[in-house]
């Protein structure tokens, strides 16, 4: 059994996710300059981000089925190359329509990239190390939000928004080359096939018989509800944190930076050795997110330090949710449904942005925690009734 993570492969895949998240959010980082350059209102430029998410949701499954059976490294590298081309088209776009076309192609490529990278990450490591591997790769995505977007904004202010998109194209090409040269191959298992569990030594408890796609789809649905609550509240974050932000240097920008750093801490914490307790850790992170969202409603009258603490808790808890949820979905899928699970994940995380206010958002997230905890208890009772051990890969 492998005892160390394949760090070069995971770091390169993390760099790929850094590029993709930076690409997704880039129009928001250069919003005034891009709007002026294309001669459109800022609201239309902002649609380039929401349209991106919609394309990812629609395109991921068909594209994954189209490339089924191909070397995932080649698929990821090709998707990055297409992203580079789409970014260059956007950088050179004479009109808004050209920019929208470039973004649409790039979003489809990123949907395929996320699906392939998710599945490849799971194939690269034994099951016991899956949580850590997922956290490493998603760490790149977190850095894309915390570092990539602000850096792009600086480039746009110092030079031009088109330079920022040109730099993104160069980064995507470099990442594509790194994927081909560095990322290790992995066994390919098409959906519906089976192979021996790589979880650990022969003495380790074995997993229960295949329960079909039901548990994977149930968890995916619950996490989707969670994300509606989280992202819905985050849509109004600048208004929600105005009061406590006054206590920090930089005001709202400083508090948002704190949130980003806290999210990175949450991702790192999710990479801990939870083993069979992944679902329990996800329940804890979900409950903490719900509590933080509920507390947001009272920030205007609370002391500033309380508001800062609530935002930090929200960042850590919500930052831990994606790697924990992704790990759980991939484990429930197993090797036989890894491609399907890989495609579900980008659809899940791009389909959750619906506007919700803090208290309704907290209620949605709390309901998710109840559902996740109930699912774990139901499987434990079933295992006790059949005399079989509780599955360790959850």
């Amino acid at each position: 059994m492998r005892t160390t993570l394949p760090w070069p492969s995971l770091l390169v895949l993390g760099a790929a996710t850094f590029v993709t998240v930076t690409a997704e959010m880039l129009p928001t980082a250069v919003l005034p300059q891009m709007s002026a350059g294309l001669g459109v209102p800022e609201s239309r430029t902002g649609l380039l981000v929401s349209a991106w998410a919609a394309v990812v949701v629609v395109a991921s499954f068909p594209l994954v089925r189209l490339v089924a059976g191909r070397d995932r490294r080649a698929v990821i590298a090709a998707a990055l190359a297409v992203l580079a081309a789409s970014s260059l088209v956007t950088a050179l776009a004479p009109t808004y329509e050209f920019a929208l076309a470039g973004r649409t192609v790039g979003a489809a490529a990123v949907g395929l990239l996320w699906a392939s990278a998710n599945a490849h990450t799971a194939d690269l490591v034994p099951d016991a190390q899956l949580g850590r591997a997922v956290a490493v790769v998603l760490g790149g995505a977190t850095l894309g939000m915390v570092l990539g977007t602000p850096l792009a904004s600086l480039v746009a202010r110092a030079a031009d928004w088109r330079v920022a998109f040109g730099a993104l194209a160069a980064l995507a090409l470099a990442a594509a080359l790194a994927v081909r040269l560095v990322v290790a191959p992995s066994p390919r298992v098409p959906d519906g096939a089976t192979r021996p569990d790589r979880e650990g030594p022969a003495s380790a408890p074995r997993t229960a018989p295949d329960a079909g796609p039901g548990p994977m789809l149930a968890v995916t649905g619950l996490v989707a509800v969670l994300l509606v609550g989280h992202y819905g509240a985050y849509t109004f974050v600048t208004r929600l944190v105005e009061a406590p932000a006054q206590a920090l240097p930089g005001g709202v920008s400083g508090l948002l930076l704190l949130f980003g750093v806290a999210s990175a801490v949450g991702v790192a914490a999710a990479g801990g050795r939870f083993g069979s307790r992944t679902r329990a850790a996800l329940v804890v992170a979900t409950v903490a997110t719900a509590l933080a969202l509920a507390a947001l409603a009272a920030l205007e009258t609370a002391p500033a330090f309380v508001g800062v603490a609530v935002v930090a808790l929200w960042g850590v808890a919500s930052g831990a949710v994606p790697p924990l949820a992704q790990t759980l979905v991939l484990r429930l899928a197993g090797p036989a449904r890894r491609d399907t699970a890989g495609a579900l994940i980008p659809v899940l995380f791009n389909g959750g942005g619906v506007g919700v206010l803090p208290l309704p958002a907290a209620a949605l997230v709390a309901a998710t925690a109840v559902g996740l905890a109930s699912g774990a208890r139901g499987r434990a009772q079933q295992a006790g009734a059949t005399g079989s051990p509780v599955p360790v890969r959850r």
Side-chain angles (χ1 to χ4, degrees):
M1 181 179 67
R2 238 180 251 138
T3 57
T4 59
L5 291 175
W7 283 105
S9 296
L10 296 179
L11 290 175
V12 168
L13 290 174
T17 67
F18 172 88
V19 172
T20 59
V21 170
T22 302
E24 177 181 358
M25 302 307 298
L26 189 49
T28 63
V30 300
L31 189 62
Q33 300 92 336
M34 190 174 187
S35 299
L38 295 175
V40 297
E42 292 187 3
S43 58
R44 290 194 71 191
T45 304
L47 284 175
L48 295 176
V49 175
S50 54
W52 176 287
V55 172
V56 170
V57 169
V58 171
S60 294
F61 275 106
L63 290 177
V64 165
R65 304 309 294 178
L66 183 65
V67 301
R70 298 184 183 275
D71 184 347
R72 291 196 188 106
R73 296 173 302 164
V75 172
I76 295 169
L80 284 165
V82 172
L83 175 60
S86 75
S87 299
L88 188 60
V89 168
T90 306
L92 300 175
T95 65
Y96 177 83
E97 288 71 23
F98 274 89
L100 179 61
R103 293 281 296 175
T104 300
V105 173
V110 163
L112 178 59
L113 186 154
W114 269 117
S116 302
N118 292 332
H120 197 73
T121 299
D123 269 355
L124 284 175
V125 297
D127 184 86
Q129 294 182 336
L130 179 58
R132 296 179 64 202
V134 167
V136 171
V137 175
L138 287 187
T142 303
L143 286 177
M145 186 71 71
V146 176
L147 280 181
T149 305
L151 286 175
S153 180
L154 287 176
V155 170
R157 293 182 182 184
D160 186 69
W161 68 272
R162 298 182 186 273
V163 175
F165 275 96
L168 175 65
L171 283 176
L173 275 180
L177 182 61
V179 167
R180 291 301 289 159
L181 294 178
V182 177
V183 175
S186 65
R188 291 287 296 124
V189 180
D191 281 9
T194 59
R195 71 178 178 199
D197 183 11
R198 299 186 303 144
E199 177 173 347
S203 60
R206 310 310 293 169
T207 61
D210 185 7
M216 173 186 70
L217 295 175
V219 168
T220 301
L222 287 170
V223 175
V225 175
L226 186 163
L227 293 174
V228 167
H230 165 64
Y231 288 128
Y234 191 77
T235 301
F236 304 99
V237 64
T238 55
R239 177 171 61 81
L240 295 172
V241 301
E242 281 178 344
Q246 298 174 6
L248 291 181
V252 171
S253 297
L255 198 55
L256 291 179
L257 177 60
L258 172 66
F259 181 90
V261 172
S263 296
V265 172
V267 171
R273 300 178 182 274
F274 290 111
S276 62
R277 301 185 300 275
T278 301
R279 183 185 289 263
L282 179 57
V283 171
V284 171
T286 302
V287 169
T289 301
L291 292 174
L293 289 172
L296 286 175
L299 289 190
E300 289 188 5
T301 58
F305 75 89
V306 173
V308 172
V310 167
V311 171
L313 171 64
W314 184 19
V316 172
S318 62
V321 164
L324 290 171
Q326 183 166 318
T327 300
L328 183 57
V329 169
L330 287 168
R331 280 180 171 158
L332 289 169
R337 298 183 181 85
R338 198 151 280 165
D339 286 333
T340 300
L344 270 175
I345 290 166
V347 171
L348 173 65
F349 284 95
N350 281 273
V354 179
V356 184
L357 292 174
L359 287 179
L364 284 174
V365 176
T368 301
V370 172
L372 289 168
S374 298
R377 185 168 58 251
R379 275 201 324 282
Q381 290 172 348
Q382 182 181 15
T386 59
S388 60
V390 177
V392 299
R393 299 199 310 160
R394 297 292 184 270

